[in-house]
Amino acid sequence: MPRYLLFPGRHHLLTRFQAEYLGRLAGADRTVVWAVTSANHENTKRNPIPFHRREAAIERFSVLAGLRSVVVPVFDTAATDRFAEVTCKNVEAVTGLTLTPDDTVVACSTPEVAAMYARLGFPIAGVEADVEPAPDRPWDVLLRLAADDPAWRELAHPASVDVFDRYQLDELVRAVVNDPVVGDEGGLTATRDYRTYAEAFADAAQRKWAAVRDHVRPGRIVDIGCGAGAVLELADREPALRESDLIGVEVARHLFEECVHKKAQGFFANPNVFFYRRNVLGGAVFAPRSVDTTMTFALTHEIWSYGDRMASLRRFVRAIYDHTVPGGVWINSDVCGPDGRDRPVRLRLSTSDGANPARPRTDLAALPAPEVATYVGGLSTRARLDQFAVDYRFPFDHRPVDGEPDTVELAFGAAMDFLTRKDYTDNWLSETREQFCGLEYADWKALLADVGFEVDAASGAYRNDWIVTNRLAPVAALSTPDGDPIGWPVTHVLSVARRPLNT
């Protein structure tokens, strides 16, 4: 008789049906080997529960169900038809058990996965697939929880209910599964190359920290949208902040995991460094009047773009105001629209620096990212504008100027949105989901004052002259509709906003 029952799956939630089924199948003589897949993932729509909580529920489940169990973490892998072999090798590496078709039955209700084990000769038990009518699968029960259906508590096993209640995992599941912004794998967009972003954050960290360090108030210091933690690394080296708490908040799983890895590897000398994976659009992250300094870099335009524009941004600014102590400060550095962003301008663009197809493509979203980068990178600047207009999530009007095929007329803000994005070909489909020039500096000042902040004199909009010299001036020129030249406008904003002491 087989000695082992291999039970692969994500196992975010366990059910009463599973307890009955495994009890009959395993009995007292078989060891259940729980191969917990995607064990290195958490806080994503596909994998909301961290492995250590899943393991705790499995162990409690096993005690209550009278099962002898072994729990094995299996890290997420790229799609492969050798998944069954990989899982068995993980089991052997972690436990020393070599599972074979002679001593192991595989319990699996997913036909595609079960077929992989069957090809290796393992006998298959179908779990929910063995029963008519089929009971709710664990993922179905989890979705009931996310939808506030109280029936989930009757379908889930008491072990899962207990662990969910003790660690408030039901709230986590609802927040993650119902998140309108974050994708299945824990990022803002499925097309974003986070390696590129992490490298860019690290390269710019010194410049960012130099711009804000004199405005940082010691105490509880929070970097929202901290990327891979590069700015907090520099804050960690400041003697004046050695008694401060340094807290990073990041929504993208890939970047958050890099922060945790850095902390584990000893990148930070300060013992009070903490990282949280949160979506700031989901509500307050910190208690009222609990943060001395909040820093945000290149974040607010994402809140504007992925949320409900001004409504979402106002909620975010209000949340920062609420969690800031009286006298505390919010330092925000981001892109900024030009003054008078709605006024019409003419934009002349190079047609000699790439291809000029008759019309832009409409199918880029169906292509692999490298092909998108190659295609867009091969376009002339003028042709790239037409492609940008197709892919950009914020529609704008632009019309060619009669007799000047290299010149178009459009709104000033739209022109600068294109010009400041045109070179991001590696993340083209991600970048075209964001609007850089939704607000100009006057809008920022009005919003901050309306919420209750005092705007420090150190605040202001400025132009990144490196971008002008290297990216804009060589291939573009701006003028009024009458043909008068226009100088290059501001591209960025630094705002230092303080909560008044008497509030």
Side-chain angles (χ1 to χ4, degrees):
M1 178 178 179
R3 298 168 53 199
Y4 302 107
L5 178 63
L6 175 61
F7 194 14
R10 289 178 285 163
H11 301 308
H12 290 285
L13 184 145
L14 311 172
T15 65
R16 294 177 184 270
F17 170 80
Q18 286 177 323
E20 298 170 2
Y21 185 90
L22 295 176
R24 293 195 305 270
L25 190 62
D29 300 322
R30 291 183 184 173
T31 297
V32 181
V33 180
W34 300 74
V36 182
T37 58
S38 298
N40 56 324
H41 284 190
E42 61 182 278
N43 280 311
T44 71
K45 288 187 178 183
R46 195 167 69 90
N47 296 293
I49 308 298
F51 167 73
H52 63 285
R53 301 296 187 221
R54 290 183 258 172
E55 183 180 33
I58 291 169
E59 294 288 8
R60 183 159 178 74
F61 174 98
S62 300
V63 171
L64 295 177
L67 299 172
R68 184 173 187 270
S69 292
V70 173
V71 184
V72 178
V74 180
F75 280 17
D76 196 58
T77 62
T80 173
D81 58 5
R82 299 182 63 249
F83 172 78
E85 297 169 67
V86 170
T87 301
C88 290
K89 289 178 180 178
N90 267 270
V91 171
E92 184 173 5
V94 172
T95 66
L97 299 175
T98 302
L99 304 180
T100 71
D102 294 329
D103 62 14
T104 303
V105 172
V106 174
C108 181
S109 63
T110 305
E112 298 82 4
V113 177
M116 296 182 190
Y117 288 98
R119 285 197 295 270
L120 298 179
F122 287 97
I124 306 298
V127 200
E128 292 88 2
D130 276 352
V131 180
E132 289 290 344
D136 279 25
R137 298 172 188 246
W139 189 253
D140 299 326
V141 180
L142 195 81
L143 293 180
R144 284 179 180 268
L145 185 165
D148 288 325
D149 181 351
W152 81 269
R153 289 181 173 271
E154 297 302 318
L155 296 168
H157 190 271
S160 279
V161 174
D162 173 54
V163 172
F164 274 51
D165 285 346
R166 281 189 285 137
Y167 294 101
Q168 300 179 29
L169 298 182
D170 53 342
E171 296 180 10
L172 171 66
V173 168
R174 291 188 189 98
V176 172
V177 172
N178 298 322
D179 194 310
V181 176
V182 179
D184 289 352
E185 299 303 328
L188 290 174
T189 66
T191 59
R192 179 167 290 183
D193 179 353
Y194 284 99
R195 176 188 57 80
T196 302
Y197 275 74
E199 291 171 353
F201 291 152
D203 291 343
Q206 291 280 0
R207 173 178 52 80
K208 292 176 180 178
W209 181 244
V212 306
R213 66 186 297 272
D214 291 341
H215 307 295
V216 171
R217 168 175 161 152
R220 203 172 190 213
I221 301 169
V222 176
D223 183 358
I224 300 180
C226 66
V231 171
L232 287 178
E233 288 182 56
L234 297 175
D236 177 64
R237 300 172 192 171
E238 293 284 341
L241 303 180
R242 64 182 181 276
E243 298 297 328
S244 295
D245 289 353
L246 304 179
I247 302 168
V249 179
E250 178 53 53
V251 64
R253 175 179 58 81
H254 312 71
L255 299 176
F256 171 76
E257 289 174 353
E258 180 62 20
C259 292
V260 174
H261 175 71
K262 283 183 175 181
K263 183 178 177 180
Q265 294 298 311
F267 275 67
F268 299 94
N270 186 335
N272 295 312
V273 176
F274 308 96
F275 292 101
Y276 298 95
R277 184 160 183 270
R278 298 287 188 275
N279 175 15
V280 294
L281 294 182
V285 176
F286 299 99
R289 302 186 179 200
S290 65
V291 176
D292 294 275
T293 298
T294 303
M295 301 182 294
T296 52
F297 301 95
L299 173 71
T300 51
H301 77 274
E302 292 191 340
I303 292 171
W304 169 279
S305 300
Y306 293 104
D308 189 18
R309 303 199 195 183
M310 181 58 84
S312 295
L313 188 58
R314 182 178 292 275
R315 285 194 297 270
F316 175 70
V317 175
R318 183 76 224 185
I320 291 183
Y321 180 87
D322 289 343
H323 79 217
T324 301
V325 301
V329 62
W330 172 32
I331 308 165
N332 178 45
S333 175
D334 207 347
V335 289
C336 185
D339 294 340
R341 68 185 186 280
D342 294 326
R343 65 186 173 108
V345 297
R346 287 190 175 182
L347 178 62
R348 189 177 74 250
L349 300 170
S350 174
T351 59
S352 62
D353 55 348
N356 293 282
R359 60 183 59 85
R361 293 184 63 162
T362 59
D363 63 343
L364 292 190
L367 301 180
E371 291 186 26
V372 174
T374 299
Y375 176 76
V376 176
L379 297 175
S380 74
T381 305
R382 174 66 184 86
R384 204 173 296 184
L385 171 65
D386 290 337
Q387 188 65 51
F388 183 77
V390 169
D391 300 322
Y392 193 42
R393 198 162 61 93
F394 302 88
F396 64 92
D397 294 325
H398 71 298
R399 63 175 187 81
V401 175
D402 291 341
E404 300 181 49
D406 61 349
T407 304
V408 296
E409 189 166 305
L410 71 174
F412 202 2
M416 293 307 298
D417 255 309
F418 166 67
L419 290 172
T420 52
R421 215 77 49 77
K422 67 181 179 61
D423 296 292
Y424 294 154
T425 56
D426 285 348
N427 286 287
W428 180 259
L429 293 178
S430 174
E431 291 294 342
T432 53
R433 291 180 59 81
E434 299 179 6
Q435 187 174 33
F436 280 16
C437 300
L439 296 178
E440 56 191 77
Y441 184 55
D443 300 322
W444 270 113
K445 289 193 295 184
L447 175 59
L448 292 170
D450 186 50
V451 169
F453 279 111
E454 294 177 344
V455 181
D456 191 278
S459 303
Y462 63 95
R463 184 178 69 195
N464 185 321
D465 287 329
W466 185 93
I467 291 177
V468 170
T469 301
N470 293 277
R471 297 288 176 83
L472 308 188
V475 295
L478 285 166
S479 66
T480 68
D482 295 329
D484 296 327
I486 297 176
W488 294 108
V490 299
T491 56
H492 291 76
V493 63
L494 175 67
S495 59
V496 180
R498 302 186 188 278
R499 178 168 179 165
L501 284 168
N502 60 351
T503 59

